[in-house]
Amino acid sequence: MPLALRVAQSLSEAAGILAADPRVTLLSGGTLVMRDVNEGRLTDGTLLRVTDPAWRQMQVSGSRIELGAAVTMAAILANRELAFLHAAARAVGGPAIRNMATIGGNLFAGTPYGDFAVALLALDAQVMVLAGYGSARAVPLEEFLAGRARGESRLVAGIQFNRPVAPGDFRFLKVSRVKPKGLSVLSIAAHLPGSGSRIGQARVAYGAMAPLPFRARGVERALEGKALDAAGIAAARAAALEGVQPVTDAIASDWYRREVLPVHLGRLLAERG
Amino acid sequence: MAKVPVQFRLNGSDRAAFADPADNLLTVLRRGLNDFGPKYGCGQGTCGTCSVLIDGELRLACLTLAASCEGASIETVSGMADGPSLHPLQNAFMEHFAAQCGFCTPGMLTAAKALLDRNPNPGREDVIDAIAGNICRCTGYEPIIQAILAAARTLPAQRRS
Amino acid sequence: MEFRKDLFQNERDDNLNVVGKGVQRQDMPGHVTGRSPFFDDHAFEGLLHLKVVRSPHHHARIRRIDISAAERAPGVKRILRGADVPVNKNTLLSLINFGKDDEPSLAVDKVRYKGEPIVAIIAESEAQALAARALVRVEYEPLPAVFDVEEALKPGAPVVNDTYPGNCFEYHEKYDHQKLRFGDVERGFAMADHIVEDRYQMSPIEHAPTETNGSIAAPEQNDRFVVHSCAQGLFFSLGTAAKIVNLDSNRLHFIGGTVGGGFGGKVDSLTEPLAVLGAMMTGRPVRYVLDREEEMLHGGPRGAERIYIKDGIARDGRILARHIRSYFDAGAYTRLSSYAAIKCTAHLPGPYTIPNVTSDIYVAYTNRCPSTAMRGFGITAVDFALEVHMDKGAEACGLDPVEFRILNAYRDGDMKAHRRVAKNTALIECVQVAAEKARWPLSEEAQRQSSLTGGGGARAEIPATPIDENGRINRPETRGGRPTQTLPAGTMRVPMTKQPIMEGSTENRPSAPSVPQYEPYRPATAAPPPPPPPVPASRSAAPPPPAAPPVPPPAGPAPASQHGAHRFSSVFGTRRR
Ligand SMILES: Cc1cc2nc3c(=O)[nH]c(=O)nc-3n(C[C@H](O)[C@H](O)[C@H](O)COP(=O)(O)OP(=O)(O)OC[C@H]3O[C@@H](n4cnc5c(N)ncnc54)[C@H](O)[C@@H]3O)c2cc1C
Ligand code: FES
Ligand code: FES
């Protein structure tokens, strides 16, 4: 049977529908779902649209930032309070894609997609998950991504994270071959509290260096208590490849990704904050 | 299978069509409403030939669920000219040989219009960024970039008049 | 843009109305208003949509096809299988009697590349056709596949294409490759001071036209079918569709010419025959458009090529002999790779006058998407290889690479390796202008050279040419082992007589003097080699010998069925007049 369509007025209604029927596919910006429809990979079941305005809301004024899962990359780019995230939002697709692509969908995008999720991972973001009717539960993004890999399907209502104290503490880099728009050879996000002097509790995340965005714990450890001088950067570079499992795809080979990662990490850390 | 009705404004007129529930907007525009301006080039968001403006925002019709356009205002290349008088972008594309096969042209014009509607005074980098989602396999892009920059130069004068 | 009107003035009429001027194209208003009528821009009442089940395997036997669930799916009007296609085997150039029919419209017993069409679903909407497609069950028995051109030609390789069990295209029912023999390369190599050898590999390239391949066919008045087609060669497509659906061509009314980019990828009639067949079977308009992934899998690319070049070069920089051995990757069936090899051969040895030239160009079948035309196919890849090789040759004899090209460039009146006299040559002037633009210093000597002078004379002679029968089809003595599956002994590389020139190595070699010696030209083969084999006698520049140029002098009258093949080759050979 060709696909059917349902519309949910509220997030909790949507969560209930999703929980009740495994053949329901949630549609957010649709940039990935509609491709599957167009190419005949998704021919069966139900598409679920959500019209709840809460899904698109943003709380950006304070130190704790809350973004609805259906907030688009373009909406982030249009918001000055979120300037530190602009590089990551601009990294997703071309202008039309950015008008459609949502942060919620980005958490589900397979590698080499998922550039924005990499940024959120370095921000220690919490994912607000609705598993059926009821109120949202906060799940650390890293844990959420692991659950996604296990095929768990839950509605993401939104994302929360703390604003970096100094704007230069947060850095994002995407390497692609086609400019200005191309798929990731790799992406790196780094949250470096204290980047002006000594770093404490660094968070570094990679995209396209493993099947899922993941945290470069070796680099984080190497940076602990260090300054971003030549010695600190060298230590980080030396640990850069810990735990990576890059794929070979049409964009780059496994070998190439490993080869260039330390170079780009070094450059990102050497940027003046 | 039950078709669903969709109604929206298309290039200034109210239009309605019956669509399959999961139909994309491109299918409804082309096959439901006979607006053959936007083209199918990939169905996966990579080529930009299906670009349209939805409530003034650049979107890819092939990735837009038609049913989600209920009540929206949609502009396609077919509505770009004002009767017989072409939009400055259309004139500039003609003058600068910015089309060869012409298949990317509707999408390019739409993406360029989205840019100029927001930023009537773009620099070269702005233009490149604005058409980054549109693939042209014929021209090598340079004539297109030149045409958009040239069109922008004619805009303020027009708006003043 | 700059026109160099000082060059070749008397060969050209400069009083032109269009060339060099910016003239508005007549299709531009349509393009900028979105009104140019591409094939898909036509509305039809009751339009049906065709989608195809494709092989997920590179090579497999089809055990069973079950369409029962798909037939019952909503909106499905008709399902086509191989048995429904009246003439379910074709090759594009059969329209000019070139090659054997080998590619089915819908695979029957085997699939030979990933993406090969097997079953076509025709339904009321695209969504319904896609949903029904997902219900078709095909049982496969995967077979070993071969992806490398040279592996494919080895004995014991999996047979890709049963029409050509040796995994190579057969020319004129006689040779398993395209041969070019001019002079005596072995003698040339023996006389050379430097031997430069290398291997070049080119990848397949997808045209990726912005508009994918597609067509709409609809029943028309007068018992005809109208076909809106994306074809680059509309009448090729008409002929192909007529043959496959077994209709007289006057019952097909093809409309096209507005093509959303082709670049060679729209010559193969990928969709027209099934769209027409669908319209015949349903009595309704049928639209068949490839999606982007299908365009990549099923629309042929420029074929990959592997090229081996061996040059023998005299100390003064003159190339005395050039041997080229190349393998075109045809993919699983013959689209246009057979023609690419002819073009390639006709182009050898590049725009240079070399007294001894041999080439053997093979078209090998592999379990990849069939390859086809693309912008200079057959030429561009070998030209890349030749020009890289020219740089290596210049390096080997310590010459400036630009001067090295001017020194070896062909000139008006020279005999080309395929036995045509060179006319309107312009390489020297091109190189001179390019050097000027690049501010590359040229010797005065090199600046004085001209395509118009210095050619002809001894350079117009056809040298004595040993010919061989290597690669004769069905001659066991030239192949050994299973017929058509071994590389003929005579095409093996000769043991290198000199130190090979390694890529990038300049050590221990004298630095390049900027000026080679432009002495009067003395062909290296002026003295006929010992036992002279039969040589075409013609020394006159004007009428070309009757044989198809890339083939050695004919061993006898060609079989009648090959008439088109000869005509085809000679059409190409005389094109540049
Ligand atoms: C041409 C093109 C270029 C692209 N370039 C990039 C790029 O450079 N970088 C990049 O990262 N991505 C890229 N993408 C991928 C994609 O656009 C983005 O990842 C985008 O953020 C996905 O969001 P979406 O809202 O469109 O997802 P959708 O298509 O709506 O959904 C994707 C998946 O996520 C699920 N989902 C979505 N939202 C939720 C939610 N709130 N809760 C639970 N499940 C949810 C859906 O059910 C679906 O399975 C590109 C895509 C295209 C077509
Ligand atoms: S058809 Fe929509 S982006 Fe290509
Ligand atoms: S003009 Fe042909 S794709 Fe742009």
Side-chain angles (χ1 to χ4, degrees):
Chain A
M1 280 304 281
L3 284 160
L5 176 67
R6 281 188 74 171
V7 182
Q9 313 289 336
S10 75
L11 285 174
S12 64
E13 182 192 351
I17 294 170
L18 264 185
D21 183 352
R23 288 163 66 257
V24 173
T25 304
L26 181 70
L27 188 77
S28 186
T31 57
L32 294 170
V33 172
M34 287 306 286
R35 176 180 175 174
D36 285 347
V37 173
N38 294 344
E39 295 186 338
R41 273 186 299 277
L42 185 58
T43 56
D44 201 19
T46 302
L47 295 182
L48 176 62
R49 254 185 84 205
V50 184
T51 53
D52 193 336
W55 221 23
R56 296 182 159 261
Q57 263 164 21
M58 304 206 248
Q59 284 293 346
V60 296
S61 43
S63 66
R64 185 76 179 161
I65 292 169
E66 273 188 59
L67 303 176
V71 165
T72 62
M73 301 299 149
I76 289 168
L77 283 167
N79 193 310
R80 283 198 198 155
E81 297 281 329
L82 297 176
F84 67 99
L85 278 174
H86 284 185
R90 205 176 296 110
V92 176
I97 289 285
R98 293 197 286 271
N99 283 337
M100 305 170 74
T102 66
I103 42 178
N106 208 271
L107 304 184
F108 292 84
T111 184
Y113 291 152
D115 298 310
F116 199 79
V118 175
L120 293 175
L121 193 55
L123 287 167
D124 266 339
Q126 301 274 311
V127 183
M128 307 309 291
V129 172
L130 273 175
Y133 290 98
S135 61
R137 188 167 58 86
V139 180
L141 177 54
E142 198 173 18
E143 191 183 302
F144 176 85
L145 289 171
R148 183 198 114 187
R150 288 193 300 271
E152 289 171 17
S153 138
R154 294 161 299 175
L155 182 87
V156 176
I159 309 277
Q160 299 184 353
F161 48 88
N162 289 334
R163 174 188 299 281
V165 177
D169 287 354
F170 186 76
R171 299 167 188 198
F172 180 86
L173 171 83
K174 169 170 168 173
V175 182
S176 59
R177 293 189 166 181
V178 181
K179 296 196 174 61
K181 184 208 95 166
L183 301 190
S184 272
V185 171
L186 57 90
S187 55
I188 311 172
H191 183 206
L192 309 166
S195 63
S197 53
R198 303 249 157 235
I199 292 170
Q201 299 234 306
R203 288 286 178 274
V204 178
Y206 295 154
M209 291 305 296
L212 289 169
F214 81 104
R215 270 182 47 199
R217 290 208 154 72
V219 177
E220 294 175 359
R221 270 196 310 275
L223 286 171
E224 189 60 37
K226 300 252 172 43
L228 283 182
D229 53 13
I233 292 172
R237 282 189 56 161
L241 293 175
E242 199 181 298
V244 303
Q245 305 163 257
V247 292
T248 291
D249 58 18
I251 308 301
S253 67
D254 155 15
W255 171 84
Y256 183 79
R257 288 189 157 107
R258 284 171 195 274
E259 209 63 18
V260 299
L261 172 70
V263 178
H264 290 295
L265 177 67
R267 285 185 195 156
L268 183 71
L269 296 177
E271 267 176 24
R272 291 199 47 228
Chain B
M1 183 180 44
K3 298 238 177 195
V4 291
V6 207
Q7 293 188 48
F8 45 73
R9 268 183 102 66
L10 175 60
N11 295 322
S13 356
D14 287 323
R15 303 292 297 269
F18 281 99
D20 281 346
D23 269 355
N24 64 45
L25 177 63
L26 185 63
T27 301
V28 171
L29 289 175
R30 291 178 57 85
R31 292 289 154 206
L33 298 170
N34 290 347
D35 180 352
F36 293 114
K39 309 287 178 208
Y40 169 90
C42 70
Q44 42 177 250
T46 47
C47 75
T49 57
C50 66
S51 298
V52 297
L53 301 181
I54 302 182
D55 295 330
E57 265 191 13
L58 185 67
R59 298 289 182 95
L60 299 169
C62 74
L63 296 183
T64 301
L65 185 76
S68 71
C69 297
E70 185 67 31
S73 168
I74 297 171
E75 294 166 65
T76 70
V77 68
S78 314
M80 215 162 153
D82 185 4
S85 83
L86 297 180
H87 188 278
L89 277 164
Q90 292 173 310
N91 281 321
F93 267 56
M94 288 183 61
E95 276 157 29
H96 288 80
F97 298 92
Q100 281 180 34
C101 79
F103 202 76
C104 69
T105 314
M108 287 288 182
L109 285 165
T110 307
K113 183 167 188 294
L115 170 71
L116 298 192
D117 285 353
R118 235 179 326 114
N119 176 3
N121 212 348
R124 187 182 162 84
E125 290 308 312
D126 301 322
V127 171
I128 291 174
D129 200 58
I131 60 169
N134 296 69
I135 286 178
C136 176
R137 287 289 282 167
C138 304
T139 63
Y141 301 102
E142 195 54 38
I144 296 174
I145 297 168
Q146 293 308 326
I148 296 171
L149 287 170
R153 284 193 294 273
T154 69
L155 272 184
Q158 280 219 340
R159 285 186 182 168
R160 251 177 270 129
S161 69
Chain C
M1 206 186 309
E2 178 194 344
F3 282 88
R4 289 294 293 262
K5 302 213 165 177
D6 52 318
L7 299 170
F8 308 115
Q9 269 170 21
N10 52 359
E11 289 181 16
R12 191 182 55 237
D13 180 2
D14 274 339
N15 190 19
L16 302 171
N17 295 321
V18 174
V19 175
K21 308 207 167 83
V23 176
Q24 192 50 267
R25 299 165 48 134
Q26 66 173 34
D27 52 3
M28 221 33 154
H31 287 351
V32 300
T33 51
R35 297 211 166 85
S36 294
F38 295 93
F39 81 85
D40 201 21
D41 300 340
H42 299 275
F44 283 93
E45 234 6 86
L47 182 65
L48 300 176
H49 302 263
L50 186 152
K51 293 280 172 191
V52 166
V53 178
R54 295 180 185 279
S55 167
H57 297 285
H58 299 291
H59 197 193
R61 202 176 305 286
I62 298 175
R63 283 244 194 79
R64 216 167 68 88
I65 301 175
D66 178 3
I67 56 170
S68 51
E71 269 176 330
R72 290 192 305 269
V76 171
K77 285 289 147 201
R78 174 87 206 202
I79 295 187
L80 304 176
R81 298 179 45 174
D84 299 312
V85 183
V87 179
N88 194 23
K89 251 190 193 176
N90 181 53
T91 188
L92 183 65
L93 295 180
S94 63
L95 295 178
I96 55 169
N97 295 337
F98 189 76
K100 303 179 219 174
D101 288 340
D102 61 350
E103 182 169 6
S105 293
L106 294 171
V108 179
D109 52 341
K110 266 191 197 174
V111 282
R112 299 173 178 86
Y113 67 95
K114 191 173 162 182
E116 181 163 1
I118 305 167
V119 172
I121 317 268
I122 302 173
E124 297 277 358
S125 75
E126 269 185 283
Q128 288 170 330
L130 289 170
R133 181 175 78 175
L135 301 174
V136 174
R137 296 279 165 267
V138 184
E139 237 177 76
Y140 301 96
E141 174 193 335
L143 297 170
V146 58
F147 303 110
D148 182 274
V149 278
E150 289 181 87
E151 293 299 320
L153 296 181
K154 284 186 181 154
V159 174
V160 174
N161 179 327
D162 311 65
T163 308
Y164 297 101
N167 282 348
C168 62
F169 186 79
E170 297 170 358
Y171 285 93
H172 314 299
E173 287 169 16
K174 189 170 168 193
Y175 283 105
D176 62 11
H177 65 286
Q178 279 283 315
K179 290 164 93 75
L180 173 65
R181 295 290 182 272
F182 184 75
D184 184 344
V185 282
E186 292 313 324
R187 235 179 85 87
F189 289 141
M191 291 166 61
D193 297 297
H194 305 280
I195 299 289
V196 182
E197 266 188 285
D198 226 319
R199 170 192 190 269
Y200 301 88
Q201 176 69 49
M202 248 54 71
S203 298
I205 301 174
E206 164 62 32
H207 316 78
T210 313
E211 169 199 70
T212 60
N213 270 273
S215 52
I216 301 177
E220 214 185 24
Q221 301 301 319
N222 307 329
D223 209 17
R224 297 203 304 179
F225 295 90
V226 67
V227 184
H228 292 281
S229 161
C230 74
Q232 276 180 266
L234 202 65
F235 287 87
F236 246 124
S237 193
L238 189 155
T240 300
K243 173 183 166 185
I244 291 174
V245 304
N246 198 19
L247 279 186
D248 287 339
S249 55
N250 63 3
R251 291 188 53 202
L252 295 179
H253 171 197
F254 266 59
I255 299 175
T258 303
V259 179
F263 319 117
K266 287 180 180 160
V267 296
D268 292 316
S269 299
L270 296 173
T271 61
E272 289 81 355
L274 286 184
V276 174
L277 187 61
M280 289 165 68
M281 299 260 189
T282 60
R284 287 178 51 181
V286 172
R287 168 177 175 267
Y288 175 17
V289 183
L290 301 188
D291 72 22
R292 183 52 63 182
E293 192 174 348
E294 293 178 299
E295 183 76 29
M296 304 292 282
L297 288 173
H298 173 55
R302 175 201 293 280
E305 290 171 46
R306 178 167 308 154
I307 299 161
Y308 294 89
I309 306 178
K310 175 176 176 178
D311 277 359
I313 311 175
R315 192 169 294 120
D316 67 358
R318 288 178 203 279
I319 305 173
L320 303 178
R322 175 168 281 179
H323 174 86
I324 296 126
R325 183 163 53 98
S326 162
Y327 302 87
F328 276 74
D329 191 341
Y333 299 106
T334 321
R335 286 187 192 163
L336 281 167
S337 42
S338 54
Y339 173 46
I342 293 177
K343 285 176 70 184
C344 175
T345 305
H347 181 68
L348 295 174
Y352 304 103
T353 292
I354 301 176
N356 304 289
V357 179
T358 297
S359 77
D360 297 295
I361 314 290
Y362 296 79
V363 173
Y365 294 98
T366 63
N367 294 106
R368 295 173 184 271
C369 178
S371 59
T372 191
M374 184 187 200
R375 302 191 136 185
F377 66 119
I379 309 290
T380 24
V382 80
D383 254 343
F384 169 75
L386 287 173
E387 291 310 320
V388 174
H389 210 70
M390 288 299 285
D391 286 345
K392 292 177 183 169
E395 194 185 314
C397 31
L399 285 180
D400 175 285
V402 179
E403 304 254 353
F404 181 66
R405 285 176 171 80
I406 292 179
L407 180 68
N408 286 290
Y410 64 172
R411 298 171 186 232
D412 282 6
D414 287 359
M415 181 57 65
K416 295 201 278 187
H418 53 288
R419 295 176 174 74
R420 299 283 161 102
V421 173
K423 292 176 196 166
N424 303 66
T425 62
L427 178 65
I428 292 177
E429 287 72 13
C430 282
V431 170
Q432 287 164 338
V433 173
E436 180 190 317
K437 298 279 168 211
R439 301 213 177 87
W440 186 277
L442 279 189
S443 67
E444 275 180 29
E445 196 61 35
Q447 285 173 31
R448 265 203 303 279
Q449 304 302 311
S450 157
S451 294
L452 300 171
T453 58
R459 294 163 59 114
E461 287 177 15
I462 296 177
T465 303
I467 57 168
D468 58 59
E469 290 289 289
N470 294 337
R472 270 305 280 267
I473 291 163
N474 298 328
R475 291 274 185 86
E477 70 275 15
T478 67
R479 48 198 62 227
R482 283 165 47 192
T484 77
Q485 278 210 321
T486 356
L487 292 181
T491 58
M492 271 173 35
R493 269 193 288 171
V494 183
M496 285 184 289
T497 53
K498 297 278 152 57
Q499 177 82 20
I501 306 302
M502 301 309 289
E503 212 176 326
S505 120
T506 45
E507 276 166 47
N508 304 330
R509 221 166 279 137
S511 63
S514 63
V515 187
Q517 296 305 303
Y518 289 87
E519 290 154 17
Y521 181 80
R522 273 174 287 105
T525 51
V535 182
S538 162
R539 303 216 160 186
S540 71
V551 182
S561 73
Q562 288 304 304
H563 171 74
H566 279 272
R567 189 183 57 191
F568 184 48
S569 306
S570 46
V571 163
F572 182 78
T574 54
R575 211 178 64 171
R576 196 176 171 273
R577 260 200 298 213

